[in-house]
Amino acid sequence: MSPVLSGLLLQFTAIALFVGLDTVTKLLTVHYPVPQIVFMRFVFHTLLVAAALWLATGRLPWRSRAPGLEAVRSLCLLAANALVVLAFYYIPLADAAAVTFASPIFTAGLAALILGEVVGPRRWLGIGIGLVGVMIALRPPFLTGEMPHPALFLPLGTAAFFGAYQMLTRKLSAVDSPSTIILHTGLAAGAVSGLVQPFVWQDPTAGAWVLMALAGVFGLSGHYLLVLAYSRAPASILAPMTYTQLIWATLSSALVFGDMPDGWMLLGAGVITAGGIITGLPERRRPG
């Protein structure tokens, strides 16, 4: 199996795990404040990563060659999580997922501008089509005649921060081992989100502890596979795989919460997906 194909399969599995994380998180938003949910997600992530690495290798690979970038990457993930968890409180899971489809657009653009990856005319066209899809998914008044729910804009922020997170994952995979990267994923995020816990904390029930731990497992597994994927394939090729999230999110939204996306959301998601497919196509090399 080629490195690119294995990277795509790893990314596909990671996206499914992230939808599991989103589902558990949305269940928790009914009873617990967003900062607490986000904090516990990173606490369990870090504890599980540390335990797994210690059992597997007998050591914890804390030392990073780029600790500043590791911290920035972790904080990007914190911002992405906080915004989408807040959105889950107000809008259906599938709606939030459709808007976060903008993340590959940000990833491809940042990969070109910062990592120097080749993003030719075809991929820029895909990015432009994806932006049109995002506009449709946001249900602007000139299309629907109604004002969109303000919470629909929160996943757009999630998409931007997650795009930066994926770009930094690709960059760090060249200097740090996957174990070091995944260990650092929750450190800065957990430390910063922990600062507000004295003001928001509510004692979880036994069932809530189980859900929070499960969120940690989903998050840990998904991000570890994501790190492995980005060590095998370019960010601009892997990013469109994010669009498979709509399949899982729609199923979860319907089966767990009884919510179905409306026509505008499905149309927007379809246009974004088309843009993502175009973005992911390899550029033709000119002879010579």
Side-chain angles (χ1 to χ4, degrees):
M1 183 182 295
S2 70
V4 171
L5 180 57
S6 64
L8 287 169
L9 291 175
L10 288 166
Q11 177 88 337
F12 177 81
T13 307
I15 294 303
L17 290 168
F18 289 149
V19 173
L21 168 62
D22 291 343
T23 302
V24 171
T25 300
K26 185 170 176 61
L27 290 170
L28 288 168
T29 58
V30 177
H31 302 291
Y32 298 95
V34 169
Q36 181 178 352
I37 296 171
V38 173
F39 171 69
M40 293 305 299
R41 173 251 185 278
F42 286 112
V43 167
F44 277 107
H45 171 100
T46 302
L47 292 176
L48 290 169
V49 167
L53 289 174
W54 182 262
L55 290 173
T57 66
R59 66 186 186 90
L60 296 178
W62 299 100
R63 190 178 297 275
S64 168
R65 295 180 182 178
L69 280 182
E70 291 282 11
V72 172
R73 173 178 172 273
S74 180
L75 292 176
C76 284
L77 187 59
L78 170 61
N81 273 260
L83 290 172
V84 78
V85 173
L86 184 59
F88 289 157
Y89 186 81
Y90 297 102
I91 60 177
L93 180 65
D95 285 21
V99 179
T100 59
F101 278 2
S103 65
I105 298 169
F106 291 105
T107 302
L110 290 171
L113 297 174
I114 298 177
L115 300 183
E117 292 185 2
V118 177
V119 180
R122 182 184 294 173
R123 287 181 179 167
W124 286 119
L125 173 63
I127 289 172
I129 292 173
L131 287 173
V132 172
V134 170
M135 288 296 298
I136 296 173
L138 289 175
R139 303 183 184 92
F142 65 83
L143 286 178
T144 65
E146 300 177 358
M147 289 298 295
H149 195 293
L152 279 171
F153 292 92
L154 295 174
L156 191 59
T158 293
F161 280 111
F162 194 68
Y165 166 83
Q166 292 189 90
M167 183 274 299
L168 289 171
T169 299
R170 176 65 177 168
K171 187 176 182 66
L172 285 165
S173 67
V175 296
D176 283 342
S177 70
S179 297
T180 298
I181 295 172
I182 199 65
L183 186 60
H184 276 267
T185 296
L187 292 181
V192 171
S193 59
L195 297 176
V196 301
Q197 295 313 302
F199 308 101
V200 301
W201 183 265
Q202 296 181 20
D203 291 335
T205 63
W209 280 114
V210 172
L211 288 177
M212 289 177 182
L214 187 59
V217 171
F218 282 141
L220 160 64
S221 303
H223 286 287
Y224 185 67
L225 294 183
L226 192 69
V227 171
L228 292 179
Y230 276 87
S231 68
R232 287 164 168 77
S236 55
I237 291 178
L238 289 177
M241 185 60 65
T242 304
Y243 299 120
T244 60
Q245 183 179 358
L246 181 62
I247 301 171
W248 306 113
T250 301
L251 287 173
S252 176
S253 192
L255 297 177
V256 180
F257 303 103
D259 296 323
M260 287 295 294
D262 63 14
W264 287 111
M265 187 57 66
L266 290 174
L267 176 60
V271 174
I272 298 171
T273 302
I277 292 172
I278 294 173
T279 303
L281 290 174
E283 294 289 342
R284 294 180 180 178
R285 295 183 178 179
R286 295 181 179 178

